[in-house]
Amino acid sequence: QVQLQQSGPGLVKPSQTLSLTCVISGDSVSSNSAAWNWIRQSPSRGLEWLGRTYYRSKWHNDYAVSVKTRMTINPDTSKNQFYLQLKSVTPEDTAVYYCARDRETATTFWFDLWGQGTLVTVSS
Amino acid sequence: SYVVTQPPSVSVAPGKTARIPCGGNNIGSKNVHWYQQKPGQAPVLVIYYDTDRPSGIPERFSGSNSGNTATLTISRVEAGDEADYYCQVWASNSDHVVFGGGTKLTVL
């Protein structure tokens, strides 16, 4: 059974870096038929896609414009997991963060598997 | 940027049919995906590529997409279907994933 298990701190201070890990079981971060995403959800912003990493002969990353300058998503093939780093956080970054697997065609992609979610609060 | 709009709430009696719309400019030209989210849980994919159901999702869940509206239809609604439902598209012109604001389905 394919699962995504998230971990990371629930409290981050303003201006610091938010770091989360998503461990993949039952699939591979290097899969040629999947991509690995981070999505967050807050009452003010709803569901917001943040970015993804995927392998298609080489590694690729896509990021949402809203976080592109602050965000890094990296795969770790040795541990079959991937990471989120969001720099210079503010209280606006307070949200439940999800990792998710996507499937895609030439014209679209959708999220068929989600992690359990991690509530991250940005506060001093 | 592309915007999709959902009504905040839909109510339906048990055993009846619920229809949850997702509106967007010429959304029929895009592929729409739907998620169910119960309180305290992660979203679950219930419809992808407008009309396809993942394995394990009951046949009572179906989707359609034409013109400016995509619709998630839940037939023979059960109490366990009470949840928030979100539509999602990929706006290729902006390379951007877009989620609707969600519709809370209440089973009366």
Side-chain angles (χ1 to χ4, degrees), chain A residues 45-81:
Chain A
R45 301 168 76 100
L47 283 165
E48 181 184 13
W49 175 78
L50 299 175
R52 63 178 184 160
T53 188
Y54 57 99
Y55 186 78
R56 303 288 186 268
S57 302
K58 66 177 185 177
W59 287 102
H60 300 265
N61 289 99
D62 299 323
Y63 298 111
V65 171
S66 61
V67 294
K68 189 171 186 175
T69 60
R70 300 191 292 133
M71 169 156 292
T72 305
I73 299 176
N74 284 319
D76 183 338
T77 57
S78 67
K79 296 181 178 180
N80 202 33
Q81 60 192 30

Side-chain angles (χ1 to χ4, degrees), chain A:
Chain A
Q1 183 180 359
V2 186
Q3 288 186 327
L4 302 177
Q5 184 68 35
Q6 302 176 219
S7 62
L11 181 63
V12 182
K13 289 181 170 23
S15 80
Q16 294 191 342
T17 297
L18 183 163
S19 298
L20 295 174
T21 300
C22 184
V23 178
I24 304 164
S25 55
D27 200 345
S28 171
V29 71
S30 303
S31 168
N32 275 301
S33 61
W36 306 96
N37 297 257
W38 288 99
I39 297 164
R40 66 184 179 184
Q41 185 175 30
S42 65
S44 60
R45 301 168 76 100
L47 283 165
E48 181 184 13
W49 175 78
L50 299 175
R52 63 178 184 160
T53 188
Y54 57 99
Y55 186 78
R56 303 288 186 268
S57 302
K58 66 177 185 177
W59 287 102
H60 300 265
N61 289 99
D62 299 323
Y63 298 111
V65 171
S66 61
V67 294
K68 189 171 186 175
T69 60
R70 300 191 292 133
M71 169 156 292
T72 305
I73 299 176
N74 284 319
D76 183 338
T77 57
S78 67
K79 296 181 178 180
N80 202 33
Q81 60 192 30
F82 61 107
Y83 309 101
L84 162 70
Q85 287 192 314
L86 183 63
K87 299 184 297 186
S88 305
V89 297
T90 72
E92 287 287 302
D93 294 310
T94 294
V96 176
Y97 285 75
Y98 295 99
C99 58
R101 180 181 72 180
D102 83 48
R103 300 296 194 180
E104 65 185 56
T105 67
T107 58
T108 189
F109 60 93
W110 61 93
F111 308 102
D112 71 335
L113 182 69
W114 296 64
Q116 81 275 21
T118 301
L119 173 60
V120 178
T121 301
V122 179
S123 175
S124 55

Side-chain angles (χ1 to χ4, degrees), chain B residues 3 5 9 12 20-21 28 35 45-48 57 61 86 91 96 103:
Chain B
V3 175
T5 305
S9 63
V12 64
I20 299 174
Y35 304 88
L45 180 71
V46 293
I47 293 289
Y48 66 99
I57 300 301
F61 288 80
Y86 296 89
H96 198 62
T103 297

